[in-house]
Amino acid sequence: MSEKILVTRATMPPMEEYFDEIKTIWDNHWMTNMGEKHALFQEELKEFLGVRDVELMVNGHMALEMAIQAFNLKGEVITSPFTFASTTHAIVRNGLTPVFCDIKEDDYTIDPAKIEELITENTCAIVPIHVYGNICDIESIESIAKKHNLVVIYDAAHTFGETYKGVGVGNFGDASIFSFHATKVFNSIEGGCVCFDDEKLGNDLYNLKNFGIRDPECVEAVGANAKMNEFQAAMGLCNLRHLKQNIEKRKEIVNKYQKLLGDIKGIRCWHEQNDVMHNYAYFPILIDRDIYGKTRDELFDILEKNNIGARKYFYPITNSFDAYKGRYNVEDTPIAYKTSLEVMTLPLYPELTDEQVENICSVIHDASYEKV
Ligand code: T4K
């Protein structure tokens, strides 16, 4: 049997290119603590993302935790549960209380029409997620935040390199974070960053990621350790050179999926948003059992049997995690709950061949109602 196709496959530069990039680390033995690769990567990112400032972090989760911490918030944070564990955990680990808002049916991002009814005198912030690279309703969120004086921190983990109305997505909100994990469109092995345009915030973020150390004799804040090392930064520098080409490949694969799955009744495919230049990070499909003839879980198992590793991103939703047992009710976010039972993301990475995509689509086609 052929090798299993996984949901994604980490993008890596040619080995020689990485070796070349890390040579200087052997020359100078400087492996971490804001070395030359760190400085270079930070500068290149600023330019690439079109943002005023960037603070690199060891991973996307720490970028989010530190971004939230830097605002010294207290009380309740409105967010949505249709996301990876990181978003909700980052709020809770900062001593804040997540208040879950439902999502929109069409793009799975937070539904701004339902935010205001959740605002109380304890609400301090909104943490929306650009799920799968779908951009939230930025205008509505900004206007609600302004009206109620709330901080907005975007979990933009999935949207590296995207633009909305021609503007880099890192520019929205009081801060936005990206993830550079191996499974993402762009990776630095592990890694992440916070984008912002306030100098004081930058200073606080630096302190948080480096023990509050400004120089060997001055520790001005109680910080942690969330520094990105030189090997990570070197991988980021290499991968950045290949990103455009990789996104192009992803786009071709997504177009093929849309074409081959578009006519299967009961399968709803991911589609592009207006005004967004996408990075084609994920390809989620929704399975309507009554029309398709099989549940999401049944189709998932059929794919598994055919050596195809789809993933149920994002099931379970975070307000149903065992870790939060008894604290939340999924019925409060019915669209997020229903979506989590019907969704799966299909394999997507630049090296996926036409033949593999055709095979995946024919398995999905053959399992449908009409064929039973
Ligand atoms: N906010 C949001 C909305 C997020 O989705 C995430 C992370 C974060 C914040 C936090 O960012 P980070 O701290 O992670 O930077 C994966 C990723 O680990 C995680 O980064 C990502 N979201 C989440 C959606 O997916 P798993 O547990 O599903 O990954 P895993 O290990 O099962 O890998 C999936 C597939 O990727 C494998 O089947 C094969 C491929 N793979 C994986 C690894 C680790 C590779 O090809 N190479 C690799 O090194 O969480």
Side-chain angles (χ1 to χ4, degrees), residues 42-55 160 162 167-172 176 178 193-197:
Q42 201 152 274
E43 281 314 303
E44 287 203 8
L45 281 179
K46 264 189 236 177
E47 189 169 326
F48 180 81
L49 295 168
V51 295
R52 187 161 151 223
D53 223 334
V54 157
E55 199 56 63
F160 188 83
E162 294 196 345
V167 177
V169 282
N171 287 286
F172 301 110
S176 289
F178 292 107
C193 75
V194 186
C195 301
F196 53 94
D197 64 8

Side-chain angles (χ1 to χ4, degrees), residues 81-83 314-321 330 333 336-338 340:
F82 191 74
T83 182
F314 290 100
Y315 169 84
I317 45 176
T318 66
N319 54 358
S320 70
F321 280 1
V330 289
T333 54
Y337 183 51
K338 183 170 183 284
S340 77

Side-chain angles (χ1 to χ4, degrees), residues 145-347:
K146 215 169 176 185
K147 184 170 156 200
H148 297 274
N149 199 21
L150 303 173
V151 168
V152 179
I153 301 164
Y154 282 104
D155 182 339
H158 299 174
T159 48
F160 188 83
E162 294 196 345
T163 61
Y164 173 63
K165 293 188 175 166
V167 177
V169 282
N171 287 286
F172 301 110
D174 296 282
S176 289
I177 72 96
F178 292 107
S179 161
F180 313 149
H181 186 262
T183 56
K184 297 291 189 293
V185 167
F186 168 74
N187 81 77
S188 60
I189 310 173
E190 292 247 15
C193 75
V194 186
C195 301
F196 53 94
D197 64 8
D198 175 66
E199 208 174 307
K200 153 112 182 33
L201 186 67
N203 193 64
D204 292 346
L205 285 166
Y206 184 90
N207 278 340
L208 283 170
K209 82 171 189 185
N210 188 36
F211 310 103
I213 297 174
R214 302 312 298 206
D215 70 50
E217 298 188 9
C218 173
V219 181
E220 67 173 24
V222 186
N225 179 0
K227 291 168 273 126
M228 174 180 281
N229 70 48
E230 292 291 276
F231 292 91
Q232 291 176 280
M235 184 62 98
L237 286 166
C238 292
N239 276 335
L240 203 50
R241 294 179 199 126
H242 303 276
L243 182 72
K244 265 202 176 134
Q245 193 189 325
N246 284 333
I247 290 179
E248 270 311 307
K249 270 301 295 170
R250 285 173 169 275
K251 183 176 176 178
E252 282 170 25
I253 294 163
V254 165
N255 291 160
K256 196 161 178 82
Y257 270 135
Q258 287 168 327
K259 193 165 154 239
L260 296 178
L261 298 176
D263 290 337
I264 302 180
K265 294 193 182 75
I267 298 283
R268 199 180 100 193
C269 292
W270 176 87
H271 59 87
E272 286 83 353
Q273 293 173 301
N274 292 333
D275 298 322
V276 177
M277 194 179 80
H278 283 287
N279 65 6
Y280 303 89
Y282 294 89
F283 191 73
I285 58 170
L286 241 63
I287 295 102
D288 182 331
R289 183 185 65 174
D290 294 340
I291 303 173
Y292 179 73
K294 294 217 167 47
T295 63
R296 183 272 311 271
D297 290 346
E298 285 167 343
L299 178 57
F300 182 87
D301 291 344
I302 290 169
L303 289 166
E304 278 288 316
K305 278 191 194 112
N306 282 276
N307 243 358
I308 298 162
R311 287 297 285 266
K312 298 174 193 176
Y313 295 136
F314 290 100
Y315 169 84
I317 45 176
T318 66
N319 54 358
S320 70
F321 280 1
D322 288 347
Y324 301 117
K325 215 176 204 142
R327 287 172 62 180
Y328 299 101
N329 187 352
V330 289
E331 304 300 333
D332 293 340
T333 54
I335 296 172
Y337 183 51
K338 183 170 183 284
T339 305
S340 77
L341 300 177
E342 294 181 345
V343 75
M344 77 166 87
T345 56
L346 297 181

Side-chain angles (χ1 to χ4, degrees), residues 12-208:
M12 297 171 86
M15 200 160 65
E16 294 310 321
E17 188 181 338
Y18 187 62
F19 285 175
D20 248 20
E21 193 66 52
I22 61 175
K23 251 187 203 137
T24 53
I25 304 179
W26 260 264
D27 295 339
N28 60 30
H29 286 238
W30 195 272
M31 295 199 279
T32 185
N33 287 7
M34 283 67 77
E36 64 178 29
K37 302 287 173 204
H38 184 286
L40 195 59
F41 186 32
Q42 201 152 274
E43 281 314 303
E44 287 203 8
L45 281 179
K46 264 189 236 177
E47 189 169 326
F48 180 81
L49 295 168
V51 295
R52 187 161 151 223
D53 223 334
V54 157
E55 199 56 63
L56 288 175
M57 297 282 172
V58 67
N59 58 49
H61 177 79
M62 290 314 283
L64 186 57
E65 251 193 62
M66 304 273 125
I68 295 171
Q69 195 176 350
F71 283 93
N72 283 311
L73 303 168
K74 281 192 179 45
E76 297 168 2
V77 175
I78 297 176
T79 186
S80 51
F82 191 74
T83 182
F84 189 57
S86 172
T87 321
T88 303
H89 288 350
I91 295 167
V92 174
R93 286 172 53 78
N94 268 293
L96 298 157
T97 306
V99 172
F100 292 104
C101 181
D102 211 353
I103 57 170
K104 289 188 278 151
E105 220 163 352
D106 58 343
D107 64 13
Y108 322 112
T109 63
I110 195 165
D111 186 348
K114 294 177 183 157
I115 292 179
E116 279 197 291
E117 66 201 52
L118 299 172
I119 295 177
T120 71
E121 57 184 18
N122 297 321
T123 309
C124 56
I126 311 174
V127 175
I129 306 107
H130 298 311
V131 188
Y132 303 134
N134 290 339
I135 305 298
C136 297
D137 181 347
I138 284 168
E139 284 92 352
S140 302
I141 292 169
E142 302 303 337
S143 97
I144 295 167
K146 215 169 176 185
K147 184 170 156 200
H148 297 274
N149 199 21
L150 303 173
V151 168
V152 179
I153 301 164
Y154 282 104
D155 182 339
H158 299 174
T159 48
F160 188 83
E162 294 196 345
T163 61
Y164 173 63
K165 293 188 175 166
V167 177
V169 282
N171 287 286
F172 301 110
D174 296 282
S176 289
I177 72 96
F178 292 107
S179 161
F180 313 149
H181 186 262
T183 56
K184 297 291 189 293
V185 167
F186 168 74
N187 81 77
S188 60
I189 310 173
E190 292 247 15
C193 75
V194 186
C195 301
F196 53 94
D197 64 8
D198 175 66
E199 208 174 307
K200 153 112 182 33
L201 186 67
N203 193 64
D204 292 346
L205 285 166
Y206 184 90
N207 278 340
L208 283 170

